[in-house]
Amino acid sequence: MDKERVKKLIRELIIEVGEDPTREGLRETPERIANMYKEIFGGYDSDSELSVQFSEDSDVVIARDIQFYSMCEHHMLPFYGKIHIAYSPNGRVFGISKLVRLVEKYSKRLQIQERLTKNIADELHSQGVKGVVVLADAEHLCMKMRGVKNDATLSSSAFRGIYENKEEKAGIMSLIRKRASDLPL
């Protein structure tokens, strides 16, 4: 990203909306936005580090409530929520933080929720696991603050491998939706 170019474009935008980019509250806004864009769009250059794996087998690994923030590619407004990932290893498990890094890799881009869900599932499945489920629940400011102005939450899902089977899908969905306190010891 060319930070100086972004600063110039933001300054022009401030003028176009009818503001004075030299007034005290706006003087540093182009710099702040350029820095923010570098951070929130960092997914284009990130690595999910899924190569960090350990020899260990497990029936299923579930990471619930991975918080994410992304930007809608249609209106460049935020959408945010939680992603739940379940996978059945094939003799190797991923380092625990790598699932969060994977979510960040795809959420820190101009994006739509359905593609975000699909990209995460596809990359995990490409690592040779037996099956993957990705569920995303999000709120979209492009729908809340403009257009229909509604507080609806959007859910999307992606199933790969063994979880494409109807019975397996039902079982894993039940397990994902349960909380640790609901599970037998």
Side-chain angles (χ1 to χ4, degrees):
M1 185 179 88
D2 182 343
K3 184 176 173 180
E4 291 307 311
R5 183 162 187 253
V6 170
K7 286 169 47 177
K8 287 177 187 174
L9 292 168
I10 296 302
R11 187 176 193 287
E12 288 179 32
L13 181 61
I14 291 169
I15 293 167
E16 287 301 316
V17 299
E19 269 290 355
D20 175 6
T22 64
R23 82 170 166 83
E24 183 180 4
L26 292 173
R27 238 178 268 136
E28 302 301 319
T29 297
E31 175 85 19
R32 284 190 294 269
I33 290 178
N35 290 336
M36 177 187 68
Y37 279 178
K38 184 171 177 58
E39 179 182 346
I40 67 174
F41 295 127
Y44 293 105
D45 298 320
S46 69
D47 179 1
S48 56
E49 301 176 21
L50 290 180
S51 60
V52 178
Q53 298 179 21
F54 305 96
S55 294
E56 191 68 48
D57 209 3
S58 179
D59 291 337
V60 66
V61 175
I62 300 173
R64 289 183 190 86
D65 299 329
I66 300 171
Q67 190 171 326
F68 77 93
Y69 297 90
S70 193
M71 295 288 276
C72 166
E73 68 184 35
H74 301 136
H75 300 99
M76 289 186 72
L77 287 171
F79 69 95
Y80 57 93
K82 295 188 176 177
I83 289 180
H84 319 284
I85 298 172
Y87 73 95
S88 287
N90 198 4
R92 300 188 63 75
V93 295
F94 301 105
I96 196 163
S97 67
K98 305 320 173 210
L99 299 177
V100 174
R101 289 191 194 284
L102 178 61
V103 169
E104 287 182 350
K105 175 181 177 178
Y106 291 107
S107 65
K108 290 185 173 190
R109 300 175 178 199
L110 288 173
Q111 188 66 274
I112 63 171
Q113 181 176 334
E114 298 86 349
R115 185 182 320 115
L116 170 64
T117 307
K118 176 190 169 301
N119 287 157
I120 293 167
D122 288 345
E123 185 164 337
L124 267 174
H125 194 244
S126 76
Q127 296 296 309
V129 299
K130 296 175 193 171
V132 175
V133 177
V134 178
L135 303 174
D137 298 312
E139 297 182 44
H140 294 251
L141 289 184
C142 58
M143 187 170 69
K144 286 179 171 277
M145 65 186 287
R146 55 153 308 280
V148 295
K149 297 183 179 140
N150 191 284
D151 286 337
T153 300
L154 179 67
S155 295
S156 56
S157 59
F159 302 88
R160 303 291 183 268
I162 63 172
Y163 297 121
E164 293 176 85
N165 172 291
K166 187 176 181 178
E167 292 78 29
E168 294 287 342
K169 186 183 293 187
I172 194 66
M173 291 297 289
S174 173
L175 196 56
I176 289 170
R177 295 290 183 200
K178 286 185 179 182
R179 293 286 162 212
S181 60
D182 299 333
L183 298 173
L185 293 177

